[in-house]
Amino acid sequence: MKGAGLLLGFAVCTLLGNFFFKRGAGEIASLAFGWDMAGVVVKSANAWAGALFYGFAAAFWFLALSVVPMNLAITVSACVYVFVVLLAFFIFREPIPLMRWAGIGLIFVGIVFVGRTV
């Protein structure tokens, strides 16, 4: 049960890191690559929040690997792919082609199969 909580913490923090990085990327989308862009990124609360959540995700991952076999942990961590696509679709209104939905569905089915072996 401890391992499941750690993997969930990893997934949630990774999802939040992606969310804040995407919002931060919107702040620089119209800028040319260079020092102006770097200055906006360094001052961006979204970029800092994303980096912080990725740091938390790394800590959760490290702790999870101390109690969960790596072959199981890495498979379960694939749920992040499913959640990130849902985030992109529902929050950022990004179009998701049918083929990508099919791939995400296969990933989800794979996670369920692996979960049944525990």
Side-chain angles (χ1 to χ4, degrees):
M1 197 61 160
K2 179 180 176 182
L6 293 169
L7 288 172
L8 179 62
F10 162 77
V12 169
C13 288
T14 301
L15 183 65
L16 288 169
N18 277 292
F19 171 78
F20 285 109
F21 273 5
K22 175 65 175 176
R23 285 186 52 184
E27 298 170 8
I28 63 168
S30 63
L31 300 176
F33 186 79
W35 291 112
D36 290 336
M37 179 187 286
V40 171
V41 170
V42 168
K43 295 175 188 172
S44 170
N46 285 310
W48 283 103
L52 181 67
F53 277 110
Y54 273 123
F56 287 142
F60 275 115
W61 183 247
F62 187 80
L63 293 171
L65 290 177
S66 73
V67 295
V68 177
M70 189 166 66
N71 67 73
L72 176 61
I74 198 71
T75 305
V76 173
S77 75
C79 70
V80 171
Y81 297 122
V82 176
F83 294 139
V84 167
V85 171
L86 293 173
L87 174 80
F89 183 74
F90 288 112
I91 303 296
F92 295 112
R93 304 286 185 218
E94 294 180 2
I96 311 295
L98 185 59
M99 187 66 78
R100 192 166 307 145
W101 281 120
I104 293 300
L106 290 171
I107 290 171
F108 182 75
V109 168
I111 294 167
V112 169
F113 282 163
V114 169
R116 293 181 57 89
T117 65
V118 177

